[in-house]
């Protein structure tokens, strides 16, 4: 009877499969990007995952997040993702924690987990992304970081490059400047050169002071874009770990 590993073996070979089975990947953030990445890593034969996210599943997540269903609303994302991975790849060792990543305690927090071979940054907050990148650089850890996918439509515009080679992407622009100031060099990022669209109804979500109204958003997300980003991040990690 054919197994899930058989299809992987045809491309990776026994050596590539063994490399993945012995590897540990840390995924930070389990939203639309991170949950799709973690799912693909589990399906791709990665032997150990560290999954961290502070949030619970909400109804607004259902349009794009691999772990978001009506049946999982209200549950911690880390817990749901752990159960999904166990159902996909029971041999995968999973450490999952519902936790806020404190930018001032990055080394202490992340250093308390089993040391990863690769770190995937799929969170939204730039201050945290910068501290994570600095920690990975100081620890000699391979990392790939997701830039912005909000208010974009075309997944063919995404590509990998060092942060220094990015343009147009608003998150990458800030990251590029701050990485220069902090001495963070060669950070691999997934970014798009598609200019973000202005969200429909954006003005209705802004109050007279110029702040986003409580419970509102000016960031729209297509159902397919974050999952494609997550799959691309997983492809980068798997190829690197397998030596391809």
């Amino acid at each position: 009877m054919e197994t899930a590993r058989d299809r992987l073996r045809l491309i990776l070979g026994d050596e590539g499969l063994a490399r993945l089975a012995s590897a540990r990947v840390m995924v930070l953030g389990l939203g639309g990007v991170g949950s799709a990445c973690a799912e693909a890593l589990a399906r791709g034969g990665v032997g150990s995952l560290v999954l961290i996210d502070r949030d619970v599943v909400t109804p607004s997540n259902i349009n794009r997040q691999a772990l978001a269903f009506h049946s999982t609303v209200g549950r911690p994302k880390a817990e749901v993702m752990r159960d999904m991975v166990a159902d996909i790849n029971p041999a995968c060792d999973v450490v999952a924690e519902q936790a806020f990543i404190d930018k001032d305690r990055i080394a202490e927090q992340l250093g308390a987990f089993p040391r990863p071979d690769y770190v995937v940054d799929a969170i939204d907050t730039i201050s945290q992304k910068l501290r994570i990148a600095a920690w990975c650089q100081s620890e000699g850890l391979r990392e790939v970081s997701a830039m912005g996918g909000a208010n974009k439509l075309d997944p063919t515009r995404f590509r990998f490059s060092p942060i220094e080679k990015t343009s147009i992407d608003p998150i990458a622009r800030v990251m590029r400047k701050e990485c220069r100031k902090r001495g963070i060099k060669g950070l691999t990022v997934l970014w798009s050169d598609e200019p973000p669209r202005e969200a429909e109804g954006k003005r209705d979500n802004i109050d007279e002071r110029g702040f986003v109204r409580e419970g509102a958003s000016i960031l729209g997300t297509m159902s397919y874009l974050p999952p494609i980003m997550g799959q691309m991040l997983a492809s980068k990690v798997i190829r690197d770990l397998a030596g391809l």
Side-chain angles (χ1 to χ4, degrees):
M1 180 178 177
E2 188 180 52
T3 69
R5 290 171 60 86
D6 291 335
R7 293 298 180 100
L8 297 172
R9 184 176 287 107
L10 291 172
I11 296 178
L12 299 171
D14 288 330
E15 183 179 349
L17 278 176
R19 287 182 178 180
L20 290 173
S22 64
R24 176 180 293 113
V25 180
M26 176 181 283
V27 182
L28 303 175
L30 297 171
V33 177
S35 62
C37 178
E39 178 186 8
L41 293 171
R43 294 187 188 279
V46 171
S48 181
L49 294 172
V50 178
L51 309 173
I52 306 171
D53 191 287
R54 69 172 178 175
D55 290 331
V56 300
V57 180
T58 65
S60 66
N61 299 151
I62 293 174
N63 83 313
R64 65 196 183 281
Q65 299 187 11
L67 46 64
F69 304 89
H70 289 287
S71 62
T72 61
V73 168
R75 292 181 60 195
K77 292 181 181 180
E79 175 187 289
V80 175
M81 198 75 242
R82 179 199 63 206
D83 292 348
M84 283 185 64
V85 172
D87 204 14
I88 292 166
N89 181 6
C92 184
D93 177 63
V94 181
V95 175
E97 183 163 323
Q98 183 183 15
F100 172 73
I101 299 173
D102 185 342
K103 65 181 176 62
D104 296 320
R105 297 177 54 241
I106 292 288
E108 176 188 346
Q109 275 189 300
L110 300 186
F113 291 97
R115 182 178 174 87
D117 300 294
Y118 221 117
V119 176
V120 177
D121 162 26
I123 60 178
D124 298 325
T125 308
I126 290 176
S127 59
Q128 292 170 317
K129 297 175 88 67
L130 289 165
R131 297 293 181 91
I132 291 165
W135 177 71
C136 288
Q137 182 171 281
S138 69
E139 292 290 320
L141 295 171
R142 285 185 285 185
E143 181 198 359
V144 62
S145 180
M147 298 291 101
N151 295 348
K152 296 181 181 180
L153 298 174
D154 186 356
T156 68
R157 305 282 286 270
F158 281 96
R159 82 282 303 272
F160 293 100
S161 77
I163 187 64
E164 294 86 355
K165 301 296 184 181
T166 59
S167 61
I168 298 177
D169 186 297
I171 291 179
R173 182 170 59 247
V174 178
M175 288 286 292
R176 191 169 59 245
K177 177 182 177 181
E178 291 299 320
C179 281
R180 256 196 325 267
K181 288 166 57 176
R182 298 165 191 240
I184 300 168
K185 299 178 181 178
L187 172 64
T188 299
V189 299
L190 176 64
W191 65 285
S192 169
D193 65 0
E194 178 185 6
R197 295 166 57 90
E198 182 169 335
E200 294 290 333
K202 173 182 174 180
R203 292 177 182 83
D204 296 335
N205 290 344
I206 303 295
D207 66 20
E208 60 279 359
R209 301 168 300 162
F211 293 109
V212 179
R213 297 184 190 279
E214 185 177 356
S217 177
I218 59 172
L219 299 178
T221 316
M222 297 301 293
S223 62
Y224 53 82
L225 207 74
I228 289 173
M229 291 179 69
Q231 295 276 344
M232 290 181 70
L233 291 169
S235 81
K236 171 69 173 165
V237 172
I238 287 172
R239 286 180 286 129
D240 286 351
L241 290 174
L244 300 177

